[in-house]
Amino acid sequence: MAKKSYAVIGLGRFGTSVARRLHEAGQEVLGIDINEEKVEASDMYFTHAVIADSTEEKALNSVGIKNFDCVIVAIGNDIQSSILTVMLLKNLGVKNIIAKALGKRHGQVLESIGVEWIIYPERDMGERVANQLLSPNMLNY
Ligand code: ATP
């Protein structure tokens, strides 16, 4: 697979695990979080990691956000920050945006501002587990 560049905004459990897997696969990964401790705790999973507020246009410009092939917005609990960040990314011309939504209404707003791929971590993982349980290889469960 050709090397691509990814920016992961929000380094909670979800963002960190997306970043770790991409980094293990040899991709370029920039990590961004407003919280210094989060950045320090996971900086081994990134090509670069910066402390920044993604709701600030200046901060996004200073990391050259529009040059990334894909930006993953992994902020969930702070819905306002999630939406503001996505709106800025859209305005700056970022093409591929993936965003985590905590609930249906959050997801609907993200959809209405043009997010290409919305992830509902609990719902999606629940479906995945059920599908695995239903597969012929899992008869013991
Ligand atoms: P997870 O469920 O993935 O562990 P979480 O429960 O830690 O996530 P979230 O609210 O989803 O919490 O936030 C994920 C990360 O996003 C946190 O590390 C938080 O510091 C970061 N974050 C929140 N707002 C901003 C912002 N404006 N700019 C950058 N990072 C932010």
Side-chain angles (χ1 to χ4, degrees), residues 9-15 32-35 38 52-55 74-78 81 100:
I9 302 177
L11 308 179
R13 290 161 298 178
F14 175 76
I32 301 170
D33 202 289
I34 199 169
N35 182 329
K38 293 283 180 94
D53 181 348
S54 60
T55 64
I75 303 170
N77 290 313
D78 186 348
S81 287
K100 161 175 124 168

Side-chain angles (χ1 to χ4, degrees), residues 8-20 72-76 98-101 117-122 124:
V8 178
I9 302 177
L11 308 179
R13 290 161 298 178
F14 175 76
T16 305
S17 76
V18 172
R20 183 173 54 214
I72 297 118
V73 181
I75 303 170
I98 299 173
K100 161 175 124 168
W117 182 6
I118 299 164
I119 315 249
Y120 300 84
E122 272 90 9
D124 294 352

Side-chain angles (χ1 to χ4, degrees), residues 23-100:
H23 188 247
E24 277 168 7
Q27 304 297 305
E28 185 193 334
V29 189
L30 169 73
I32 301 170
D33 202 289
I34 199 169
N35 182 329
E36 185 178 351
E37 284 170 22
K38 293 283 180 94
V39 173
E40 280 170 4
S42 57
D43 73 346
M44 66 292 250
Y45 304 131
F46 303 96
T47 320
H48 307 284
V50 294
I51 304 157
D53 181 348
S54 60
T55 64
E56 304 263 343
E57 185 169 350
K58 230 166 121 184
L60 294 177
N61 276 326
S62 74
V63 298
I65 204 77
K66 68 173 187 297
N67 301 320
F68 284 82
D69 294 312
C70 177
V71 178
I72 297 118
V73 181
I75 303 170
N77 290 313
D78 186 348
I79 294 182
Q80 187 172 323
S81 287
S82 154
I83 293 166
L84 275 173
T85 299
V86 169
M87 287 183 77
L88 279 174
L89 294 173
K90 278 274 161 199
N91 290 342
L92 291 170
V94 173
K95 295 252 163 5
N96 297 307
I97 303 174
I98 299 173
K100 161 175 124 168

